[in-house]
Amino acid sequence: MRKYYLDNIRWITVCIVALYHVVFMYNGIVSIGTVGAFHKNQWQDGILYLLYPWFMVLLFIVAGMCSRYYLEKHKIKEFIASRSLKLLVPSTLGLFVFFWVQGYISMSISNAFESIPENTPSVVNYLIMVLSGQGVLWFAQLLWFFSIVLALIAKIEKGKLYKLTEKVNTPILILLVIPVFLSGQVLNTPVVVVYRFGIYGFTYLLGYFVFAHDEVIERLSRFSIPLIITSVILGGLYLYLHFGDNYADMPVMGSPSAVAFCWSTCLAILGSFRKWGNKTNSFLKYMSSRSFGIYVFHYITLSGAALLLTKTVSMQPFVYYIIGIVTSIGGGLLLFEIISRIPVLSWFTLGIRKGKKKCSRKT
């Protein structure tokens, strides 16, 4: 039986990621990759603090759970092949074919072209744009890497570790915040801070070995309301302690308050969606089948529109945000619908084989 609550968590979280990037594009905290803030102090930047700590951790947990369900019906070789097509191809070859456009937009936003000599060969400029064009594809790169690691682990442990975690109860799930915190302190790359191998890899494996148990999620769902309340309280505390600090880099992103808020929110969402969100209809099916496409394309449409608007018109801040939401979610969805129907290009950007026009829902 399909677990619709995971589909709903995934597409809604992807839309939240898109909303985050809308606010991020005009924030006053992190300047790299943005068009700049409207004012010195912006209350709306608080949204970034309330979203950034948990949404990618949640996506890695869900990805780990779905990897478990996939491997229950497929061989490890099929798992590696499907993940390589869906994740590795777009985040590597896709950069050369299409996502170099993101590099061009990002470099234009940061005025990077001004530092490149005019006599630089076109092929060199192109390669620079390719290297700058990964955008949100870092998630696909990390997820592919973790999938390969998981394939090796699964081949060795043969389900023994998975059986040991079946009895995990909610208090133990809460106490997992300690190893989650510790994992967040290691294997964080400098400069490009999104590559957090420690916490993302650990929570991906937790998704596979712990949260993939129906019994574990069912137990968790019984504490949905207390977990939601805890998440709200910890989110307020984290915002109070760190508003104004660089939330996207250490030490803030690895602080106890950030990790506690992150973990309580992930538990609250998993439990509450299992309890109240395990349903589907035509709209939910449509959105869940296109969540990967929205994720892949939303930033290129958002950043392209932001670059154009800030160079051509002057409007009230709320208008930029409204246009940003439309161009990120709506634009990303529209771009997916177009590209998914173009042979070859759909393979390079979405990992869609010939004859398939929808994003797989098994990521």
Side-chain angles (χ1 to χ4, degrees):
M1 182 177 179
R2 189 167 186 86
K3 296 171 174 55
Y4 294 113
Y5 75 97
L6 291 181
D7 292 334
N8 293 330
I9 287 176
R10 187 160 44 199
W11 78 259
I12 291 174
T13 304
V14 165
C15 289
I16 289 175
V17 171
L19 173 62
Y20 163 84
H21 281 134
V22 172
V23 181
F24 172 80
M25 188 59 63
Y26 306 99
N27 86 94
I29 307 298
V30 181
S31 59
I32 298 177
T34 71
V35 297
F38 299 111
H39 307 289
K40 184 177 180 180
N41 298 309
Q42 301 182 149
W43 65 266
Q44 62 268 31
D45 287 348
I47 296 174
L48 304 177
Y49 292 81
L50 297 177
L51 297 181
Y52 187 78
W54 59 267
F55 57 41
M56 297 312 298
V57 170
L58 181 61
L59 286 177
F60 277 109
I61 292 174
V62 171
M65 296 171 69
C66 292
S67 295
R68 174 68 200 185
Y69 304 141
Y70 185 93
L71 280 170
E72 287 177 350
K73 299 179 180 179
H74 299 82
K75 297 180 180 179
I76 292 179
K77 289 183 178 180
E78 294 176 306
F79 175 72
I80 294 175
S82 67
R83 291 307 181 263
S84 296
L85 175 63
K86 182 72 176 290
L87 302 171
L88 187 62
V89 170
S91 62
T92 54
L93 300 179
L95 293 172
F96 292 89
V97 176
F98 180 80
F99 292 111
W100 62 268
V101 177
Q102 179 66 72
Y104 171 80
I105 296 172
S106 298
M107 292 175 68
S108 298
I109 288 176
S110 60
N111 297 315
F113 287 109
E114 296 179 2
S115 62
I116 300 177
E118 293 183 3
N119 59 348
T120 301
S122 298
V123 66
V124 175
N125 286 327
Y126 165 71
L127 291 175
I128 294 174
M129 288 187 288
V130 168
L131 293 174
S132 304
Q134 67 174 356
V136 298
L137 292 176
W138 66 267
F139 172 68
Q141 294 169 351
L142 280 189
L143 188 52
W144 177 82
F145 175 77
F146 296 148
S147 298
I148 299 303
V149 173
L150 174 62
L152 296 174
I153 295 174
K155 191 172 183 179
I156 295 172
E157 63 93 24
K158 300 183 184 300
K160 295 179 181 178
L161 181 58
Y162 180 71
K163 291 181 180 179
L164 290 176
T165 59
E166 185 177 3
K167 302 297 182 181
V168 170
N169 55 29
T170 300
I172 293 178
L173 291 179
I174 294 173
L175 289 175
L176 281 175
V177 69
I178 298 174
V180 169
F181 169 76
L182 295 175
S183 69
Q185 311 307 308
V186 298
L187 301 179
N188 298 310
T189 57
V191 185
V192 187
V193 296
V194 292
Y195 289 96
R196 304 177 67 191
F197 286 87
I199 191 170
Y200 291 151
F202 181 65
T203 51
Y204 172 77
L205 293 176
L206 283 180
Y208 181 90
F209 287 107
V210 178
F211 291 102
H213 288 288
D214 290 339
E215 298 85 355
V216 171
I217 295 296
E218 186 61 37
R219 296 187 196 108
L220 188 63
S221 68
R222 298 168 191 162
F223 295 88
S224 296
I225 294 178
L227 287 170
I228 291 172
I229 294 173
T230 302
S231 172
V232 172
I233 294 173
L234 291 177
L237 176 63
Y238 168 66
L239 188 62
Y240 172 77
L241 292 174
H242 293 291
F243 186 73
D245 299 331
N246 186 349
Y247 65 88
D249 202 353
M250 297 294 277
V252 176
M253 70 178 182
S255 65
S257 60
V259 177
F261 169 50
C262 161
W263 194 240
S264 64
T265 303
C266 289
L267 295 182
I269 291 174
L270 288 167
S272 59
F273 269 75
R274 175 62 183 87
K275 186 171 185 177
W276 297 301
N278 195 28
K279 59 187 68 175
T280 189
N281 54 42
S282 57
F283 172 75
L284 297 179
K285 287 181 179 179
Y286 175 83
M287 293 299 293
S288 63
S289 68
R290 284 151 175 79
S291 60
F292 184 69
I294 295 174
Y295 179 83
V296 166
F297 293 123
H298 82 274
Y299 196 68
I300 195 169
T301 53
L302 166 64
S303 57
L307 175 63
L308 178 63
L309 290 174
T310 53
K311 289 184 177 296
T312 58
V313 297
S314 178
M315 302 178 292
Q316 291 296 316
F318 78 92
V319 179
Y320 286 98
Y321 289 124
I322 293 175
I323 294 176
I325 293 173
V326 173
T327 55
S328 60
I329 299 177
L333 184 58
L334 177 61
L335 194 55
F336 164 75
E337 295 292 357
I338 294 172
I339 291 182
S340 65
R341 289 167 168 78
I342 302 176
V344 182
L345 186 57
S346 63
W347 186 86
F348 278 106
T349 59
L350 295 163
I352 297 179
R353 292 188 181 93
K354 183 179 179 180
K356 295 185 178 181
K357 295 185 177 181
K358 293 184 178 181
C359 280
S360 170
R361 297 166 64 193
K362 298 178 180 179
T363 302

Short mmCIF file of all heavy atoms in Angstrom, two decimals, residues 12-25 47-48 51 55 298 302 321 324-325 328-329:
data_model
loop_
_atom_site.label_atom_id
_atom_site.label_comp_id
_atom_site.label_asym_id
_atom_site.label_seq_id
_atom_site.Cartn_x
_atom_site.Cartn_y
_atom_site.Cartn_z
N ILE A 12 5.10 19.16 -0.43
CA ILE A 12 4.88 20.36 0.37
C ILE A 12 6.21 20.93 0.84
O ILE A 12 6.42 22.15 0.82
CB ILE A 12 3.96 20.06 1.57
CG1 ILE A 12 2.53 19.76 1.07
CG2 ILE A 12 3.94 21.22 2.56
CD1 ILE A 12 1.58 19.32 2.15
N THR A 13 7.13 20.06 1.24
CA THR A 13 8.45 20.53 1.66
C THR A 13 9.20 21.18 0.51
O THR A 13 9.90 22.19 0.69
CB THR A 13 9.28 19.37 2.24
OG1 THR A 13 8.56 18.75 3.31
CG2 THR A 13 10.62 19.88 2.77
N VAL A 14 9.08 20.62 -0.69
CA VAL A 14 9.70 21.23 -1.87
C VAL A 14 9.14 22.63 -2.10
O VAL A 14 9.89 23.57 -2.41
CB VAL A 14 9.49 20.35 -3.12
CG1 VAL A 14 9.81 21.12 -4.40
CG2 VAL A 14 10.37 19.11 -3.04
N CYS A 15 7.85 22.81 -1.95
CA CYS A 15 7.25 24.14 -2.09
C CYS A 15 7.74 25.07 -0.99
O CYS A 15 7.92 26.28 -1.23
CB CYS A 15 5.72 24.04 -2.06
SG CYS A 15 5.00 23.28 -3.54
N ILE A 16 7.98 24.53 0.21
CA ILE A 16 8.53 25.34 1.30
C ILE A 16 9.96 25.76 0.97
O ILE A 16 10.37 26.89 1.26
CB ILE A 16 8.48 24.56 2.62
CG1 ILE A 16 7.02 24.44 3.10
CG2 ILE A 16 9.33 25.22 3.69
CD1 ILE A 16 6.83 23.58 4.32
N VAL A 17 10.73 24.86 0.34
CA VAL A 17 12.08 25.21 -0.11
C VAL A 17 12.01 26.36 -1.11
O VAL A 17 12.81 27.31 -1.06
CB VAL A 17 12.78 23.99 -0.75
CG1 VAL A 17 14.09 24.41 -1.41
CG2 VAL A 17 13.04 22.91 0.29
N ALA A 18 11.04 26.29 -2.02
CA ALA A 18 10.86 27.36 -3.00
C ALA A 18 10.51 28.68 -2.30
O ALA A 18 11.03 29.75 -2.67
CB ALA A 18 9.78 26.98 -4.01
N LEU A 19 9.62 28.63 -1.32
CA LEU A 19 9.26 29.83 -0.55
C LEU A 19 10.48 30.38 0.17
O LEU A 19 10.70 31.60 0.19
CB LEU A 19 8.17 29.48 0.47
CG LEU A 19 7.81 30.58 1.47
CD1 LEU A 19 7.25 31.80 0.75
CD2 LEU A 19 6.81 30.06 2.50
N TYR A 20 11.27 29.49 0.74
CA TYR A 20 12.51 29.93 1.41
C TYR A 20 13.40 30.71 0.45
O TYR A 20 13.93 31.76 0.79
CB TYR A 20 13.25 28.70 1.94
CG TYR A 20 14.71 28.98 2.27
CD1 TYR A 20 15.07 29.52 3.50
CD2 TYR A 20 15.71 28.71 1.34
CE1 TYR A 20 16.40 29.79 3.79
CE2 TYR A 20 17.04 28.98 1.62
CZ TYR A 20 17.38 29.51 2.84
OH TYR A 20 18.69 29.79 3.13
N HIS A 21 13.55 30.20 -0.77
CA HIS A 21 14.43 30.85 -1.73
C HIS A 21 13.88 32.21 -2.19
O HIS A 21 14.65 33.11 -2.54
CB HIS A 21 14.66 29.93 -2.94
CG HIS A 21 15.67 28.87 -2.68
ND1 HIS A 21 15.48 27.54 -3.04
CD2 HIS A 21 16.90 28.92 -2.09
CE1 HIS A 21 16.54 26.84 -2.67
NE2 HIS A 21 17.40 27.65 -2.10
N VAL A 22 12.56 32.35 -2.17
CA VAL A 22 11.97 33.65 -2.50
C VAL A 22 12.40 34.69 -1.47
O VAL A 22 12.85 35.79 -1.81
CB VAL A 22 10.43 33.56 -2.55
CG1 VAL A 22 9.82 34.96 -2.69
CG2 VAL A 22 9.98 32.67 -3.71
N VAL A 23 12.27 34.35 -0.19
CA VAL A 23 12.68 35.27 0.87
C VAL A 23 14.20 35.45 0.85
O VAL A 23 14.72 36.56 1.06
CB VAL A 23 12.21 34.75 2.24
CG1 VAL A 23 12.62 35.72 3.36
CG2 VAL A 23 10.70 34.55 2.25
N PHE A 24 14.92 34.36 0.62
CA PHE A 24 16.37 34.40 0.58
C PHE A 24 16.89 35.36 -0.49
O PHE A 24 17.90 36.05 -0.28
CB PHE A 24 16.90 32.98 0.31
CG PHE A 24 18.39 32.91 0.07
CD1 PHE A 24 19.28 32.92 1.12
CD2 PHE A 24 18.90 32.83 -1.23
CE1 PHE A 24 20.65 32.86 0.90
CE2 PHE A 24 20.26 32.77 -1.46
CZ PHE A 24 21.14 32.78 -0.40
N MET A 25 16.22 35.40 -1.63
CA MET A 25 16.67 36.22 -2.75
C MET A 25 16.77 37.70 -2.36
O MET A 25 17.59 38.45 -2.91
CB MET A 25 15.72 36.05 -3.93
CG MET A 25 16.18 36.69 -5.23
SD MET A 25 17.78 36.08 -5.82
CE MET A 25 17.37 34.35 -6.13
N ILE A 47 11.66 34.27 8.56
CA ILE A 47 11.15 33.07 7.90
C ILE A 47 12.30 32.14 7.55
O ILE A 47 12.18 30.91 7.64
CB ILE A 47 10.36 33.45 6.63
CG1 ILE A 47 9.12 34.26 7.01
CG2 ILE A 47 9.99 32.22 5.81
CD1 ILE A 47 8.36 34.81 5.81
N LEU A 48 13.43 32.70 7.17
CA LEU A 48 14.60 31.90 6.81
C LEU A 48 15.08 31.07 8.00
O LEU A 48 15.46 29.91 7.84
CB LEU A 48 15.73 32.80 6.31
CG LEU A 48 15.39 33.73 5.14
CD1 LEU A 48 16.58 34.62 4.81
CD2 LEU A 48 14.97 32.93 3.91
N LEU A 51 12.78 28.07 8.67
CA LEU A 51 12.70 27.03 7.64
C LEU A 51 14.03 26.30 7.42
O LEU A 51 14.05 25.07 7.28
CB LEU A 51 12.23 27.64 6.32
CG LEU A 51 10.84 28.26 6.29
CD1 LEU A 51 10.54 28.80 4.89
CD2 LEU A 51 9.77 27.26 6.71
N PHE A 55 14.24 21.74 6.75
CA PHE A 55 13.59 21.18 5.56
C PHE A 55 14.46 20.21 4.76
O PHE A 55 13.95 19.22 4.23
CB PHE A 55 12.97 22.26 4.66
CG PHE A 55 13.87 23.34 4.15
CD1 PHE A 55 15.14 23.11 3.71
CD2 PHE A 55 13.40 24.66 4.09
CE1 PHE A 55 15.95 24.11 3.21
CE2 PHE A 55 14.19 25.68 3.60
CZ PHE A 55 15.48 25.40 3.16
N HIS A 298 12.79 25.27 -9.91
CA HIS A 298 12.21 26.47 -9.29
C HIS A 298 13.22 27.60 -9.11
O HIS A 298 12.87 28.78 -9.24
CB HIS A 298 11.58 26.12 -7.93
CG HIS A 298 12.57 26.05 -6.80
ND1 HIS A 298 13.29 24.91 -6.50
CD2 HIS A 298 12.98 26.99 -5.90
CE1 HIS A 298 14.07 25.14 -5.47
NE2 HIS A 298 13.91 26.39 -5.08
N LEU A 302 13.03 31.47 -10.55
CA LEU A 302 12.99 32.51 -9.53
C LEU A 302 14.13 33.50 -9.70
O LEU A 302 13.92 34.72 -9.74
CB LEU A 302 13.05 31.88 -8.13
CG LEU A 302 13.36 32.83 -6.97
CD1 LEU A 302 12.25 33.84 -6.80
CD2 LEU A 302 13.59 32.04 -5.69
N TYR A 321 7.92 39.72 -3.67
CA TYR A 321 7.70 38.43 -3.03
C TYR A 321 6.59 37.65 -3.73
O TYR A 321 6.70 36.44 -3.94
CB TYR A 321 7.36 38.61 -1.55
CG TYR A 321 8.53 39.06 -0.70
CD1 TYR A 321 8.45 40.22 0.06
CD2 TYR A 321 9.70 38.32 -0.66
CE1 TYR A 321 9.51 40.63 0.86
CE2 TYR A 321 10.78 38.72 0.12
CZ TYR A 321 10.68 39.88 0.87
OH TYR A 321 11.73 40.29 1.64
N GLY A 324 7.86 36.46 -6.90
CA GLY A 324 8.82 35.40 -6.61
C GLY A 324 8.15 34.06 -6.36
O GLY A 324 8.61 33.02 -6.84
N ILE A 325 7.06 34.06 -5.60
CA ILE A 325 6.34 32.81 -5.33
C ILE A 325 5.78 32.22 -6.61
O ILE A 325 5.87 31.02 -6.87
CB ILE A 325 5.21 33.06 -4.31
CG1 ILE A 325 5.81 33.42 -2.94
CG2 ILE A 325 4.32 31.83 -4.18
CD1 ILE A 325 4.78 33.85 -1.91
N SER A 328 8.73 30.97 -8.85
CA SER A 328 9.47 29.82 -8.32
C SER A 328 8.64 28.54 -8.43
O SER A 328 9.05 27.58 -9.08
CB SER A 328 9.88 30.06 -6.87
OG SER A 328 8.75 30.28 -6.04
N ILE A 329 7.45 28.54 -7.83
CA ILE A 329 6.63 27.33 -7.86
C ILE A 329 5.93 27.18 -9.21
O ILE A 329 6.04 26.13 -9.86
CB ILE A 329 5.59 27.34 -6.72
CG1 ILE A 329 6.30 27.40 -5.36
CG2 ILE A 329 4.69 26.11 -6.81
CD1 ILE A 329 5.37 27.49 -4.18
#
